[in-house]
Amino acid sequence: MPAKITSWKDSSPRESPPPPEGRISNHSWFTDRMKDSYRKNRARLPLYVQRTAEEKMRNHAMAGLSRSEEVMGLMLGGSFVWEGRGFAIVRDVVTTELEASLSRVRFHEEGFEGLFESLDDLDFDYTIVGWYHSHPGIGCFMSETDVRTQDAAFNMPHHSAIVLDPVRRELEAYRLREGKVELRPMGVYWDLHQDPYRG
Ligand SMILES: [Zn+2]
């Protein structure tokens, strides 16, 4: 069954509770300030990334490393609201081969076509909740180009950017608010069937 394409910008949040606290953890690649923001916001995180989606991003970044490439992809999931608080969930990611070099990743029209083909292979309705890309060896931050991309394509409140450095093994999440980059507190969560030792 082909996935239903939800429009890029429009996503009215659905009413649903966030993952339970017992199934949320920090990320092993978090920088100190991400660990800090996780600790402070653990009960009210605005971004949850499912463990398998997180693994895909990390593996993608590591695979790019062996080819000395930056990699990038879209984060798919949903935007939700519960007891007056909004949050986004990343359930999966899609990637495509893009023209990439160690210093930049470009969004190409052809790249987008490839991404949308991959989207058609998914079997759930999705909303694009952001994008991720890697910064091999240069650490996590939002470059001017990254900020322009975020501003042009991921400027909704539920949109986030994740940057991974597979060399330093670091990860940070961001959002844009009134044109300024802010750290986005996030957590990794898992579904019960993914965790045979709990629940
Ligand atoms: Zn970047």
Side-chain angles (χ1 to χ4, degrees):
M1 187 184 95
K4 186 175 118 197
I5 296 183
T6 310
S7 125
W8 188 275
K9 303 258 175 178
D10 168 56
S11 121
S12 30
R14 276 185 292 147
E15 193 86 18
S16 181
E21 276 210 56
R23 284 194 260 125
I24 304 166
S25 74
N26 60 14
H27 191 285
S28 54
W29 285 14
F30 272 174
T31 58
D32 285 344
R33 61 184 197 146
M34 278 299 290
K35 281 184 204 155
D36 217 45
S37 97
Y38 172 81
R39 262 196 305 271
K40 285 180 187 147
N41 298 282
R42 195 170 188 277
R44 301 176 63 81
L45 292 168
L47 176 64
Y48 299 90
V49 180
Q50 207 227 17
R51 188 185 272 171
T52 48
E54 176 280 311
E55 275 171 11
K56 278 192 194 176
M57 276 188 255
R58 209 155 22 100
N59 291 340
H60 191 203
M62 296 298 281
L65 189 55
S66 60
R67 298 190 303 269
S68 293
E69 279 177 5
E70 282 194 9
V71 300
M72 80 123 227
L74 293 177
M75 306 195 292
L76 310 173
S79 148
F80 301 91
V81 64
W82 188 249
E83 293 171 349
R85 132 177 121 92
F87 62 94
I89 286 207
V90 178
R91 287 183 58 194
D92 205 351
V93 296
V94 281
T95 68
T96 188
E97 294 305 319
L98 295 184
E99 184 181 314
S101 74
L102 215 64
S103 61
R104 65 176 165 253
V105 180
R106 290 184 214 149
F107 272 99
H108 273 291
E109 266 178 53
E110 310 90 76
F112 274 120
E113 271 171 37
L115 284 174
F116 284 112
E117 276 166 28
S118 334
L119 291 175
D120 288 339
D121 294 337
L122 295 172
D123 63 355
F124 64 88
D125 297 349
Y126 59 81
T127 299
I128 292 162
V129 292
W131 64 304
Y132 71 92
H133 72 288
S134 64
H135 278 182
I138 56 173
C140 299
F141 59 92
M142 288 287 275
S143 71
E144 275 178 41
T145 310
D146 297 340
V147 173
R148 274 199 298 276
T149 300
Q150 190 77 11
D151 193 35
F154 308 100
N155 51 21
M156 303 290 286
H158 63 274
H159 283 156
S160 301
I162 287 182
V163 176
L164 308 95
D165 182 340
V167 178
R168 298 190 194 175
R169 294 178 181 243
E170 289 178 352
L171 180 151
E172 288 193 338
Y174 314 92
R175 72 148 161 182
L176 215 55
R177 187 162 72 162
E178 287 156 17
K180 285 196 174 161
V181 178
E182 284 183 356
L183 215 57
R184 176 77 112 181
M186 76 163 244
V188 176
Y189 83 96
W190 55 95
D191 295 318
L192 276 181
H193 66 267
Q194 290 180 291
D195 187 26
Y197 305 108
R198 287 184 199 217

